Amino acid sequence: EDQVTQSPEALRLQEGESSSLNCSYTVSGLRGLFWYRQDPGKGPEFLFTLYSAGEEKEKERLKATLTKKESFLHITAPKPEDSATYLCAVQVPYSGAGSYQLTFGKGTKLSVIP
Amino acid sequence: KAGVTQTPRYLIKTRGQQVTLSCSPISGHRSVSWYQQTPGQGLQFLFEYFSETQRNKGNFPGRFSGRQFSNSRSEMNVSTLELGDSALYLCASSQDRSTDTQYFGPGTRLTVL
């Protein structure tokens, strides 16, 4: 069974204190790994897609990396507006030909304190 | 370009009733997927529609159903509501099949009393 585990469940950081969020996965036939940000009461907002081990992508204070077993979301010098729940999802084959579906982790709730 | 829209945003129903939720994808997007989000289970895949046909289905009972129209708009129906159906229901659209990046709407918050 495909599994996606995110850690820690919650993380409190001081403004400017860099850290990393982890997403480990056990899946068959990974096609891609996605990172989303979700604010309370809103739908997930797309951040990154990673397709192969060694790939990295950056956006402002965020950098996502991928290995064969896990992905990291590095947050450099975070600001209070970075507070949100960060979700990772793996894109894996469904039973139909050419079909894929997203399996999500339960997220890391990040709080950045001024 | 307008994002994914979902209506209604909030809904309160009682056990045994049925409910229909609506989703309008991003213009030009042809695939629509539905997810249920709860604090305990997180985001779980319900089903995907493409070209008016259900392509994928998650592990949910038959009370959960959906359809897609020729303009790619989609509806999701839940019959015989149970307390455990209380959740945020999210719709996501992608340009082609579920292989593409999925963009989420704001969700419909369903409360079952």
Side-chain angles (χ1 to χ4, degrees):
Chain A
E1 183 181 325
D2 299 329
Q3 283 196 323
V4 182
T5 304
Q6 291 190 246
S7 61
E9 290 185 15
L11 181 64
R12 285 171 61 93
L13 299 173
Q14 290 294 129
E15 184 172 1
E17 180 187 1
S18 302
S19 188
S20 295
L21 314 182
N22 177 264
C23 171
S24 63
Y25 57 90
T26 306
V27 299
S28 302
L30 176 75
R31 183 182 183 275
L33 186 140
F34 294 74
W35 282 98
Y36 287 86
R37 167 196 169 124
Q38 187 173 25
D39 293 298
K42 297 187 176 181
E45 174 189 346
F46 170 72
L47 293 173
F48 304 109
T49 310
L50 303 166
Y51 290 107
S52 55
E55 188 175 0
E56 298 183 353
K57 289 202 176 162
E58 288 188 64
K59 179 181 179 179
E60 296 180 357
R61 295 177 293 282
L62 301 176
K63 183 169 81 172
T65 61
L66 181 66
T67 72
K68 288 186 178 180
K69 295 291 185 184
E70 58 192 347
S71 177
F72 293 93
L73 184 65
H74 307 277
I75 304 177
T76 302
K79 299 181 178 182
E81 53 262 43
D82 294 323
S83 297
T85 295
Y86 290 85
L87 299 164
C88 80
V90 294
Q91 196 175 46
V92 294
Y94 187 69
S95 59
S99 297
Y100 291 83
Q101 68 181 62
L102 289 181
T103 299
F104 281 83
K106 295 192 175 180
T108 293
K109 184 176 182 179
L110 174 67
S111 301
V112 182
I113 313 303
Chain B
K1 193 183 272 191
V4 178
T5 58
Q6 292 186 245
T7 56
R9 292 293 314 279
Y10 303 92
L11 208 49
I12 300 175
K13 293 286 187 179
T14 57
R15 278 183 302 173
Q17 288 187 308
Q18 75 165 21
V19 66
T20 298
L21 312 181
S22 181
C23 170
S24 293
I26 293 171
S27 177
H29 284 196
R30 299 189 296 163
S31 173
V32 173
S33 297
W34 288 89
Y35 295 84
Q36 181 194 66
Q37 187 174 32
T38 59
Q41 298 298 318
L43 263 158
Q44 293 185 289
F45 172 74
L46 279 158
F47 28 65
E48 179 209 2
Y49 284 87
F50 179 79
S51 292
E52 302 177 63
T53 302
Q54 187 180 91
R55 303 291 178 161
N56 297 343
K57 183 170 169 50
N59 190 24
F60 279 82
R63 301 185 296 106
F64 292 82
S65 63
R67 59 178 175 167
Q68 186 181 34
F69 302 95
S70 58
N71 61 358
S72 295
R73 191 177 69 85
S74 177
E75 288 182 347
M76 190 194 96
N77 184 275
V78 187
S79 62
T80 318
L81 284 166
E82 300 177 359
L83 295 178
D85 296 334
S86 294
L88 181 67
Y89 289 89
L90 292 159
C91 163
S93 76
S94 57
Q95 192 154 6
D96 202 336
R97 291 297 308 280
S98 53
T99 50
D100 291 337
T101 298
Q102 295 182 31
Y103 296 89
F104 284 83
T108 294
R109 171 72 64 185
L110 172 65
T111 301
V112 182
L113 302 177

